Every structure is written in C-alpha cells, then in structure tokens.
C-alpha cells in the first residue's frame, strides 16, 4: 500500500426522532430513522505537521489547523469542536491519526433538529478509522462520538443521534433500547413516509430547559425508588403522587407514557396498522404539550394544522422541543399535496414561512469511493 497519500471518504446521515421523547436519558425506548441527507468527510494524509479541517459551508468559511502532535483544544461555539472531540477520543482508543486534511460537505440543515452534529462526528470517525484500516463495533463508535459531544463540545445529548446515524437501514425504523444500548430494525410498511416541518423557531432555550427536565425526571425516579423512569409504572406514579411536586409528577407521566407509545408503535409496525402508529404520535404531542411542557405556540399550531390535513396519519414535535420541528406520518400518495397544504396554512395562521420535506428511512454511515 502507498502510505504517503492514503485517503478515505465517508458519509454519515442525519436522523429523525419518530417517537420516544426525552426517553433516552431515562434508559427508555425510541423509534428513529436515518435520512438520505447527511455529512461527507474526505480525509487525505499529507506531508505536514498539521491536521487541517475545512467545511464547504457558509457557516465555516475559514480553514482550521492545529499541530498533529498536540492535543486538540475546544473553541467555544465552533463547528470544529465536533471533529476535534472525535479525534481526541479516537486517539485515546489508540488510533494514530497522521497529519491530514479533512474536507467536509453537508446537505443537511444545521440546527434543525435533524442532528447535523452527530453526522459530523460519525463522518469524521468513519473516515479516520478507514484511513488507518481500523474498525470499531457500531455502538462503541456511537458512544465515542457521544462522548465527544458531551465532554468536548459540552452538549449533554443522549445516544440517539449517533446510534441512528450509524445503524440506520433503508426502509426501516430503529427501535433503540437505551438501557442495553442495543437496537432492532422494523420495516416501515410501504406507501408511507415522514414529513419534517420546521416551526421556524430555533430551540433557543434548549440548554437550560433540557437540563431542568432531566433533573425533574431523575427526581421522579428517586421518589419512585427505581433505577430510571423506564422502570416506573402509572400505578406506582399515582400511588406516590403526594410525595413529589405536581410538576415532577407530570414530567414522569410523560416519560412513562412515551415508553408505552413506543411499544404501541412497534406493535403497529408488526400489525401493519399505520393508523394506530399515527395516533400514538399524536398522543405523544399532546403529552408533550400538557405534561412535559416542551412544546411552543408555533409547534402546537403546526401540529394542529398537520393532523387536520388529508393524508396525514399523525404528528408530533420531534427532538428536544422548545422550538424546532414537527414530524408527521403521511401516506406517500398524498404527501406532496399535504406538504403544500401544511406550509400554506402555517403561513396564513402565523406569518411564518416553512417547507414540509418528505423523508424515507435511509442507510446509516458508510464509506464512499474516493474517486
Ligand atoms: P443539530 O444537530 O440538530 O443540527 P446542533 O446544534 O446539535 O443541531 O448542531 C449544529 C452545529 O453543527 C452547528 O452550530 C455547527 O457548529 C455544526 N454544523 C452543522 N452543519 C454544519 C455545516 N454545514 N457547516 C458548518 N457547521 C455545521
Ligand atoms: Mg445535534
């Protein structure tokens, strides 16, 4: 092998959280899928002392470089933290990363709740592992990239984004178990797709609100004397209602309900009952709105418009909430008309322009030919 100019190219997709809201850090369940869109990373070993990072993107106009013989340092708010964190923890696993140039491109919107951050991490790791001819088991790779986001970038996300970006399969939904950190695949019955519709409001408060919800969930688990809310039942919660603040009770009610709704959706997939699947999504949104209070006026408007549009079987806010997007299950034959109707009605009601984009589940991260 010519080691002087080794190259590798990878692709890692974004993802949609289909159902299972805030369940990952409660050791519960999520249904998700990978998208056809994502991030490409092309890495080329070079004669230099440095590692260079480039992103063909309006968000990252300048080249970034650092000495390949030093530990990478984080720059607050910079996109480079995602690949740098991955480089740091790959090295801790014993991977030698030579001086190289990594060129990123993306066709995934950033900060839209489709997990462009995990796509950057997984694309980086997949390309660098290939460059050195090494492999990591999928969930180990997901955990390493989550660690980069948690500890290097400083975002306290669960494993959903990274696991889905790696393990997604075309035409399938992933059923993830966040206690065992394992997954199963279920085919999406033909004739259905998902519409993702941004509310136009970024999740600006997400940091503080997200951590507050996390703390409330852990508080409920402590009062219920269970390892995590995954182990709690509605009857145990009712019995302990007077031992916790009413707000904590409602947070727990949402998480227990979400885990049940994920199970209902798995049964619906097995029974080819997509009406029941859509109903569980709609119930999930109502629970978010009433009990978890992570919806917004815009998300509620979008939700109401989506579920009353012909061809839509159910809808809910997706991701952390407090802004971001709604995901709707639609009949493929009616999706194009539904997408136009939803955007028009949302503009009429709120004055906000949006686009409903159709997605079908796609494959997870992979290597691409370099020429
Ligand atoms: P999400 O993962 O939902 O897209 P995050 O806030 O977790 O949202 O990650 C978005 C961040 O990822 C951006 O702020 C930026 O740092 C980085 N990023 C994503 N896509 C791009 C891109 N095309 N160009 C430069 N940076 C990007
Ligand atoms: Mg992200």
């Amino acid at each position: 092998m010519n080691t002087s100019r080794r190259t590798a190219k990878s692709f890692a997709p974004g993802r949609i959280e289909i159902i299972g809201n805030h369940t990952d850090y409660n050791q519960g369940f999520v249904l998700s899928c990978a998208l056809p869109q994502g991030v490409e990373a092309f890495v080329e070993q070079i004669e230099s002392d440095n590692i260079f990072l480039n992103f063909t993107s309006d968000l990252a106009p300048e080249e970034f470089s650092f000495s390949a013989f030093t530990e990478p340092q984080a720059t607050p708010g910079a996109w480079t933290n995602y690949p740098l964190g991955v480089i740091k923890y790959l090295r801790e696993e014993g991977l030698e990363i030579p001086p190289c140039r990594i060129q990123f491109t993306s066709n995934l919107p950033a900060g839209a709740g489709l997990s462009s951050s995990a796509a950057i991490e997984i694309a980086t790791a997949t390309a660098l592992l290939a460059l050195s001819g090494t492999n990591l088991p999928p969930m180990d790779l997901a955990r390493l990239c989550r660690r980069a986001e948690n500890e290097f970038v400083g975002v306290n996300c669960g494993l959903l984004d990274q696991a889905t970006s790696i393990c997604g399969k075309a035409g399938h939904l992933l059923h993830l178990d966040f206690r065992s950190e394992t997954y199963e695949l279920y085919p999406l019955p033909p004739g259905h797709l998902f519409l993702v519709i941004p509310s136009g409001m970024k999740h600006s408060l997400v940091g503080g609100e997200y951590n507050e919800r996390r703390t409330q969930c852990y508080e409920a688990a402590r009062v219920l004397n269970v390892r995590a809310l995954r182990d709690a039942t509605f009857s145990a919660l009712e019995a302990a209602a007077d031992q916790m603040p009413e707000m904590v009770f409602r947070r727990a009610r949402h998480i227990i309900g979400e885990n049940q709704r994920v199970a209902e959706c798995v049964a619906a997939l097995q029974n080819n009952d997509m009406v029941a699947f859509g109903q569980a999504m709609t119930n999930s949104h109502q629970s978010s709105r009433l009990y978890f209070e992570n919806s917004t006026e815009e998300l509620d408007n979008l939700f109401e418009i989506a579920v009353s549009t012909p061809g839509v079987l159910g809808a809910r806010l997706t991701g952390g909430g407090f802004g971001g997007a709604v995901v709707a299950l639609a009949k493929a034959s009616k999706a194009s008309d539904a997408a136009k109707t939803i955007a028009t009605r949302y503009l009429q009601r709120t004055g906000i322009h949006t686009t409903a984009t159709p997605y079908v589940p796609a494959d997870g991260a992979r290597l691409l030919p370099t020429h």
Side-chain angles (χ1 to χ4, degrees), residues 15 82 111 113-118 121 149 155 157 161:
R15 63 98 188 93
Y82 301 98
L114 299 178
S115 203
S116 62
S117 58
E121 293 151 16
E149 188 143 349
V155 176
C157 60
D161 303 353

Side-chain angles (χ1 to χ4, degrees), residues 15 38-39 55-61 77-83 104-121 149 153 155 157 161 203 206:
R15 63 98 188 93
V39 172
F55 210 134
T56 313
S57 157
D58 295 346
L59 295 175
W79 73 270
T80 45
N81 292 340
Y82 301 98
F104 295 91
T105 53
S106 171
N107 57 3
L108 198 60
L114 299 178
S115 203
S116 62
S117 58
I120 298 172
E121 293 151 16
E149 188 143 349
V153 180
V155 176
C157 60
D161 303 353
H203 15 197
V206 83

Side-chain angles (χ1 to χ4, degrees), residues 9-11 70 75 93 97 99 122 126 132 160 164 168 189 223 238 254 277 289 293 301 329 362:
K9 193 173 185 181
S10 65
F11 170 81
T70 58
T75 309
E93 289 297 307
I97 298 174
I122 306 295
T126 304
S132 62
L160 170 67
T164 309
V223 173
E238 292 289 349
H254 174 69
F277 192 111
R289 187 170 66 78
E293 294 176 286
N301 272 320
L329 172 67

Side-chain angles (χ1 to χ4, degrees), residues 10-154:
S10 65
F11 170 81
R15 63 98 188 93
I16 313 175
E17 173 200 292
I18 304 293
I19 191 163
N21 188 242
H22 287 254
T23 46
D24 58 353
Y25 58 82
N26 290 297
Q27 300 185 13
F29 303 94
V30 177
L31 274 173
S32 64
C33 71
L35 300 176
Q37 286 79 0
V39 172
E40 265 185 32
F42 175 73
V43 55
E44 180 179 24
Q45 189 176 0
I46 52 173
E47 298 293 329
S48 170
D49 288 340
N50 288 343
I51 293 177
F52 294 87
L53 302 175
N54 279 289
F55 210 134
T56 313
S57 157
D58 295 346
L59 295 175
E62 282 162 27
E63 182 170 65
F64 178 90
S65 69
F66 70 105
S67 165
F69 309 105
T70 58
E71 174 141 317
Q73 302 296 323
T75 309
W79 73 270
T80 45
N81 292 340
Y82 301 98
L84 290 179
V86 170
I87 288 170
K88 175 173 162 139
Y89 298 123
L90 281 174
R91 279 184 175 157
E92 278 188 20
E93 289 297 307
L95 194 80
E96 271 187 37
I97 298 174
C100 59
R101 174 167 272 117
I102 313 179
Q103 178 71 48
F104 295 91
T105 53
S106 171
N107 57 3
L108 198 60
L114 299 178
S115 203
S116 62
S117 58
I120 298 172
E121 293 151 16
I122 306 295
T124 306
T126 304
L128 287 174
L129 285 164
L131 191 75
S132 62
T134 316
N135 244 321
L136 269 182
M139 280 299 177
D140 288 355
L141 183 55
R143 278 187 284 267
L144 185 144
C145 290
R146 173 185 56 180
R147 189 173 169 210
E149 188 143 349
N150 289 171
E151 295 177 22
F152 196 86
V153 180

Side-chain angles (χ1 to χ4, degrees), residues 220-238:
R222 191 188 59 74
V223 173
L224 294 171
N225 200 22
V226 289
R227 202 169 134 201
L229 279 183
R230 174 220 180 98
D231 304 303
T233 60
F234 277 130
S235 52
L237 181 66
E238 292 289 349

